Amino acid sequence: MKKLAGIWTALLLAAVMMAGCGNTADQKDSKAKQKTEAFPVTIDDASNQDVTIKKEPKKIVSLMPSNTEITYALGLGDKVVGVTTNDTYPKEVKKVEKVGDMNVNVEKVISLKPDLVLAHESSMSASADAIKQLKDAGITVLTVNDAQSFSEVYKSIEMIGEAAGAEKKADQLVKRMKSDLQDIKEKAKNISKKEEKSVFIEVSPDPDIYTTGKDTFMNEMLNVIHAKNAAADQTGWVQMTDEAIVKLNPDAIITTDGVKAKAVEKRDGWSEINAVKHHRVYDVNPDLVTRSGPRLIEGVEELAESIYPDTFKE
């Protein structure tokens, strides 16, 4: 009887172990199936086209620096096989094949055999022929929106995340950006109405000086830190004359075009501007405040520390 009981016990243990192995295998199969079932995905992109990505992209070409920064921030850098000559961040892009600038080298892109090309709404007209050639070659092209607000930047991140199979990471990135932005807003509450400064942002140098008006993410960045956009009565990106800028008489001037503060202060007729009188001219990293990507929050911080150092510099 003891021997029979031992046999039954051994059989029972074997059955349990086999069941356990079966469950583990089933779980692995289920996870693999879930990952596969994430594709195909269909996305309504910025060109108002329904773009279907049949399977998770293995090779990606980016035609805009902001797209590239988003892709790397989502942990997809190892999939990026082509970028533009304007791409400077992260440092890894220096080693990635270049596919032109605003003028896309179609032959080069095709030779890289990408599964996905990330185009951009801002260059739709300039790149129209190139995009058509890429699509005719059977390459999937997704046009990412030209973000003009934080909410639209979040949309760009989510779009690329969905297209590249990194939705969870996109959600995490957006949540982190929102949290960091909220921290800046909390600090900005310490700035009273009396302390608020008017700010002129120069995005293109003389003789053709351009600034940012309302309905732009740079205007929103100023609002976040309780600064007044001196050109808020304008819309979008507008050209300004020296006379018009002097008349605005901003309390601070921000340059994002590589022009140094000393050069701005030496301009003819600008000596009477409050910002120049009090040496409140600051040159900031243009990539942080002009690229609609994950580093925009760093751009807000740099603006805040320049305009309100006592409040934001620790």
Side-chain angles (χ1 to χ4, degrees):
M1 290 295 291
K2 287 184 179 180
K3 183 178 288 188
L4 185 61
I7 292 171
W8 277 110
T9 302
L11 288 172
L12 182 61
L13 286 171
V16 171
M17 289 176 68
M18 288 179 69
C21 291
N23 288 337
T24 302
D26 290 344
Q27 288 172 2
K28 287 181 179 179
D29 289 343
S30 177
K31 287 180 180 179
K33 189 175 180 182
Q34 287 174 7
K35 189 171 184 180
T36 303
E37 287 177 350
F39 289 88
V41 296
T42 300
I43 300 171
D44 181 15
D45 74 355
S47 67
N48 293 320
Q49 300 290 319
D50 284 337
V51 179
T52 299
I53 298 113
K54 295 180 181 179
K55 57 183 180 179
E56 185 175 331
K58 301 299 181 185
K59 298 170 74 176
I60 299 172
V61 168
S62 170
L63 303 182
M64 184 63 63
S66 57
N67 289 346
T68 305
E69 293 199 19
I70 291 171
T71 305
Y72 272 85
L74 294 178
L76 303 170
D78 59 335
K79 295 185 177 183
V80 178
V81 296
V83 297
T84 73
T85 55
N86 297 319
D87 280 89
T88 56
Y89 186 90
K91 62 182 181 180
E92 287 82 3
V93 299
K94 294 179 181 179
K95 298 178 182 179
V96 179
E97 290 284 349
K98 302 302 181 290
V99 296
D101 41 34
M102 294 300 288
N103 298 309
V104 181
N105 185 332
V106 175
E107 291 76 14
K108 184 66 176 177
V109 175
I110 292 175
S111 72
L112 295 172
K113 299 179 180 179
D115 305 304
L116 177 66
V117 170
L118 297 174
H120 200 265
E121 184 181 9
S122 65
S123 59
M124 277 175 59
S125 297
S127 303
D129 289 341
I131 298 303
K132 184 179 183 304
Q133 291 179 58
L134 292 174
K135 289 181 177 180
D136 289 344
I139 295 173
T140 302
V141 179
L142 182 77
T143 303
V144 180
N145 59 306
D146 183 19
Q148 296 300 325
S149 66
F150 284 107
S151 61
E152 290 179 2
V153 172
Y154 303 147
K155 180 182 176 181
S156 299
I157 293 170
E158 289 164 350
M159 183 186 294
I160 292 176
E162 183 179 5
E167 286 184 89
K168 186 175 181 180
K169 288 184 178 179
D171 289 341
Q172 291 171 343
L173 177 57
V174 168
K175 286 178 182 177
R176 186 165 67 248
M177 289 177 69
K178 287 180 177 180
S179 176
D180 291 344
L181 188 62
Q182 186 58 41
D183 290 342
I184 295 172
K185 288 180 178 180
E186 290 300 318
K187 280 189 177 181
K189 288 179 180 179
N190 295 318
I191 300 166
S192 66
K193 283 287 184 182
K194 188 177 180 180
E195 294 173 309
E196 288 184 2
K197 291 184 173 67
S198 63
V199 181
F200 179 81
I201 297 183
E202 179 177 296
V203 295
S204 179
D206 62 345
D208 299 317
I209 298 176
Y210 276 79
T211 191
T212 176
K214 60 185 177 183
D215 297 335
T216 64
F217 61 78
M218 292 184 75
N219 182 71
E220 187 175 358
M221 291 165 85
L222 291 177
N223 290 338
V224 164
I225 62 172
H226 289 206
K228 302 172 185 175
N229 185 353
D233 60 334
Q234 305 284 338
T235 301
W237 309 92
V238 290
Q239 188 172 5
M240 301 284 288
T241 64
D242 288 303
E243 293 77 15
I245 297 167
V246 171
K247 189 174 181 180
L248 288 175
N249 193 26
D251 299 314
I253 295 173
I254 299 290
T255 66
T256 67
D257 48 23
V259 177
K260 299 300 180 182
K262 288 183 179 179
V264 172
E265 292 181 355
K266 290 179 180 178
R267 289 175 180 168
D268 292 339
W270 286 45
S271 60
E272 293 305 306
I273 298 176
N274 278 337
V276 175
K277 280 183 182 179
H278 301 288
H279 304 290
R280 297 193 191 115
V281 182
Y282 314 103
D283 52 287
V284 301
N285 183 339
D287 293 347
L288 296 182
V289 294
T290 61
R291 290 184 182 176
S292 51
R295 294 193 295 160
L296 269 187
I297 309 303
E298 293 178 46
V300 177
E301 290 175 339
E302 187 163 340
L303 285 176
E305 290 175 1
S306 297
I307 299 167
Y308 300 117
D310 293 340
T311 302
F312 289 96
K313 280 190 177 180
E314 296 179 353

